[in-house]
Each structure stands twice: as structure tokens, then as C-alpha cells.
Amino acid sequence: MATILRTDQENPAEDEVREGARVIREGGLVVFPTETVYGLGANAFSEEACRKIFKAKERPADNPLIVHISSLDRLNEVAENVPHDLIGKLEKVWPGPVTLLFHKGSLIPDLVTGGSSLVAVRIPANKLALRLIELAGVPIAAPSANVSTRPSITDSRYAISELEGRVDLIFDSGPTSRGLESTIIDVSGKTPVLLRAGSKPVEELKEIFGDIEVTDFARGMLESSIPLAPGMKYRHYSPNKKLFLASSLELLHIVAGNDSLKGRVVIMGSDELCASSSLACIKLGPEGDHHQAGRRLFSALRELEQLPEPVGVIMPFSEAGTGLAIMNRIRKASTAAFSSLEELQKLIF
Ligand code: TXA
Ligand code: MG
């Protein structure tokens, strides 16, 4: 069973972080908070340690891991041929929820990149994570800490229930501050390409990196297109319950007011909608507050699993700003979309 250390993310106790760093150096697995989601980390230089990540997470071997570093001056330990004119841009996004692809450095095992010559790197904006990497003295390879296909983990209580028997140490540090994974861009070619919409809105990244290619794939629209980030082709974020996406907020209001769905359907919607719902309702934050919704989404999917009703119905979001990532995650987590009450009834009865 894992050692569980209760530690404040923003003011972490040095002794406890040191213990985590020791586990990393000795080739073990540590679950730690970042500003986005919890990560399941190991020494990125050790193939043997990283192999344990794939096993603990039940992750397919062709799905590569993000390498986390603690400062820009250590980028050259994990990546090669980083264009000089990128450095100023990196200073603007790091530490932060942005992952970039570079040519892989020779110290990074092929296992970490799934055989690709490119490596994904980020500096997380979280005091505990940064100190852990610093004290470990090595970069930390870490995917999101959930078991494969499950919703990402944004609160340590879910890390403990899901991973206690699979890892060596878990930092019990409560909810993460952002709740959606990092935005991933490939900057290794001519035009930067968005590989995964994430916590940092692509609009803001365009101001730094210039034009960024946004494919339908990164929006989660096309099941059949070629996945750019290997991980995006897998079933993802699935709660162990049916989840249906309403085509509009008006429709969700109709569903929420329908007494005949009591005991069968849980609504996942804004605080305002929940206040007027006659059905059980999981709050995703105030209407129009994408930041709160992003922060709450993954924990809300796990709350849904614990309620007695067999079906969840979730609201749609506009795809501006963080909404692009929120809708990407919702599309992947949901069983189907519906555009009328009759259609929903057919789906659930
Ligand atoms: O916010 C985050 O990014 C969190 C925290 C822990 O940093 N990590 C995370 O990791 O979400 P993961 O493994 O759940 O998602 C990483 C995605 C996967 O879709 C993977 O395929 C892609 O990044 N990826 C990683 N390395 C890659 C590479 N070398 N080339 C292309 N895609 C890569
Ligand atoms: Mg993940």
C-alpha cells in the first residue's frame, strides 16, 4: 500500500517533499498535484521506473508520457535543438499548463516517448510539484494519475481510492487549482499545431506563438481522423455510467424540469440550473464561468458515479477560451449527444 503524505500544495512541508524525491530517485512511483490534474510520476531518465507507470496505469505502450522539469535551464537535459527564438516564448508560458513537443534528448528512454523522436515537456505551476522535481534532481515523467480510460484525477481523495494499491507514495493535497490538463502544442515543425486543447486557451497561446493550427481532432470532433497525440485516440475520461450531452441549455432546462425522470437522471449543470432543477443535480459553477466548470468537471464525473441514478445528462459549453477543452473532455466522456426530450427518453428507457 502507498504511503500517504498530507501536504499543502502551495506551502509544502520540506521533509515530506524530500521523502517523495527519495522515492523518485530510488525508482518508485509518486502521485503528486500539479496545477492541472494529479500526475503519476517516475524518474524520466529510468526506463525501468517509467515501465512501472504504464503497468500501474494500465496504459498502452504506444501512448507517451509528458516529462516535467523544474526550470527552463534544464530543458537541454531532455530536449535537443530547441530553436533559440523559442526561449523567450517559453518564458511566457512556463511555469504553466502548457506542454510543448521538442526533439527528444538522448537521455530520455524511447519508452517515455512511445518510440517517437519527439518529447513532450512542461514546467508545472505548482510549488509542491516544482520542489519535488528539484529535490529529485531528475525530470519526472508523469501522465495524468487516473487509471487508463477513467476521468482524470483533480482531487487527492480520488487518487487515494484509485491508486493506493498501485503506487509507492501519494501526496494528499486536496483539489487542484485548474482541473483540466495542459494544452499541448507541437512546435517542432514550421507552424505550431494544437494536439490537445487544455487549460490554457489557444487564443492566448496564439498571441505568443503566432498562428496555431487547430484541427477538428483537437476539438474532439472526429473519431476517425488520425490522432496527432497518440493518447487522443483512446477511450477517455469515461465515468462508469451513461452520460448524455444536451444540444442546448434550453433543452437541459426542459430535462431538469421533467418529474418523470426523477430517480433515473442526474443533471450536470450550472449552479443556477441546479437551483431550479427538480432532478438531482451536480453543480459545475456559476453560469458562464468556464474557469469553475473546468476546475470542477473531472471531480463532478466521479461524483456522478457515486449517485444512485443510472444516467447523467450534461450541459454544453461555448467553445471559446477554456470552453474548447471542456467540450473536448465532455464529448469524450459522454455516450451520445441528444437534441430533444424524446431522443433522450429513447436513449434511457
Ligand atoms: O496537465 C497535464 O498535461 C497532466 C499533468 C500531470 O502534467 N498530464 C497529462 O498527461 O495529462 P497524459 O499522459 O494523461 O496526457 C498526455 C498526452 C497524451 O495524449 C499523449 O499521447 C500526449 O500527451 N503525448 C505525450 N508525449 C507525446 C509525444 N512525444 N508526442 C505526441 N504526443 C505526446
Ligand atoms: Mg490522461
Side-chain angles (χ1 to χ4, degrees):
M1 288 305 249
T3 304
I4 293 167
L5 296 180
R6 203 180 175 87
T7 308
D8 191 298
Q9 296 176 48
E10 285 312 308
N11 188 16
E14 186 75 358
D15 281 355
E16 314 221 313
V17 185
R18 204 176 291 284
E19 177 58 15
R22 185 188 62 78
V23 172
I24 294 283
R25 271 199 312 277
E26 289 176 1
L29 298 182
V30 174
V31 173
F32 63 98
T34 77
E35 79 279 38
T36 58
V37 302
Y38 273 78
L40 200 180
N43 176 357
F45 288 152
S46 164
E47 179 174 328
E48 196 189 333
C50 290
R51 202 176 291 287
K52 294 184 194 164
I53 295 178
F54 287 89
K55 184 156 183 265
K57 206 178 141 74
E58 298 170 31
R59 181 164 178 133
D62 67 347
N63 192 3
L65 312 177
I66 295 176
V67 174
H68 299 72
I69 56 174
S70 56
S71 64
L72 200 48
D73 56 17
R74 306 200 73 159
L75 179 59
N76 60 4
E77 292 176 16
V78 300
E80 268 168 16
N81 303 326
V82 177
H84 207 72
D85 63 330
L86 258 185
I87 302 296
K89 298 173 182 173
L90 297 181
E91 280 169 348
K92 289 189 182 149
V93 294
W94 284 347
V98 179
T99 297
L100 296 158
L101 261 59
F102 303 99
H103 294 283
K104 178 177 101 60
S106 57
L107 292 175
I108 297 293
D110 288 334
L111 178 87
V112 169
T113 62
S116 165
S117 61
L118 301 179
V119 61
V121 185
R122 90 175 181 102
I123 303 181
N126 176 285
K127 294 229 171 74
L128 196 162
L130 289 173
R131 192 70 185 134
L132 178 69
I133 304 164
E134 245 164 45
L135 290 177
V138 291
I140 297 184
S144 54
N146 54 290
V147 168
S148 242
T149 78
R150 300 267 304 132
S152 295
I153 291 177
T154 52
D155 190 317
S156 48
R157 64 192 164 118
Y158 298 120
I160 295 167
S161 58
E162 190 150 304
L163 297 163
E164 203 174 15
R166 297 173 181 245
V167 301
D168 300 296
L169 189 146
I170 298 173
F171 282 105
D172 183 7
S173 303
T176 60
S177 60
R178 285 179 171 263
L180 291 170
E181 303 90 338
S182 61
T183 306
I184 308 181
I185 347 179
D186 182 357
V187 287
S188 68
K190 244 192 192 151
T191 313
V193 181
L194 178 73
L195 301 193
R196 178 177 74 185
S199 189
K200 183 88 166 172
V202 71
E203 293 90 335
E204 286 174 31
L205 290 172
K206 281 182 178 169
E207 285 170 18
I208 299 167
F209 292 95
D211 196 29
I212 297 175
E213 195 184 325
V214 179
T215 59
D216 272 355
F217 177 74
R219 300 169 59 217
M221 293 297 284
L222 296 183
E223 287 301 332
S224 58
S225 68
I226 298 162
L228 300 168
M232 301 301 275
K233 74 179 179 223
Y234 295 107
R235 216 173 102 83
H236 248 106
Y237 313 124
S238 317
N240 61 14
K241 199 166 267 192
K242 288 215 158 98
L243 178 67
F244 298 110
L245 169 61
S247 61
S248 70
L249 283 177
E250 296 70 46
L251 176 57
L252 193 67
H253 274 278
I254 294 172
V255 175
N258 190 306
D259 276 337
S260 74
L261 298 173
K262 246 187 205 153
R264 286 203 78 84
V265 169
V266 179
I267 302 292
M268 297 176 77
S270 65
D271 297 355
E272 292 83 350
L273 178 74
C274 283
S276 67
S277 171
S278 30
L279 309 182
C281 194
I282 298 173
K283 292 178 184 164
L284 295 175
E287 192 106 47
D289 186 342
H290 279 187
H291 179 75
Q292 271 307 320
R295 188 161 190 253
R296 298 229 57 236
L297 181 65
F298 283 124
S299 285
L301 290 173
R302 285 173 181 267
E303 282 161 37
L304 172 68
E305 294 183 334
Q306 279 157 16
L307 293 176
E309 290 82 356
V311 169
V313 167
I314 193 163
M315 66 186 271
F317 290 79
S318 77
E319 286 183 293
T322 318
L324 185 67
I326 295 176
M327 280 305 283
N328 168 289
R329 306 305 187 268
I330 290 177
R331 287 200 183 96
K332 284 172 182 291
S334 51
T335 321
F338 66 98
S339 47
S340 68
L341 185 59
E342 295 70 44
E343 211 179 314
L344 176 67
Q345 279 162 333
K346 267 194 211 135
L347 285 165
I348 61 178
F349 289 111

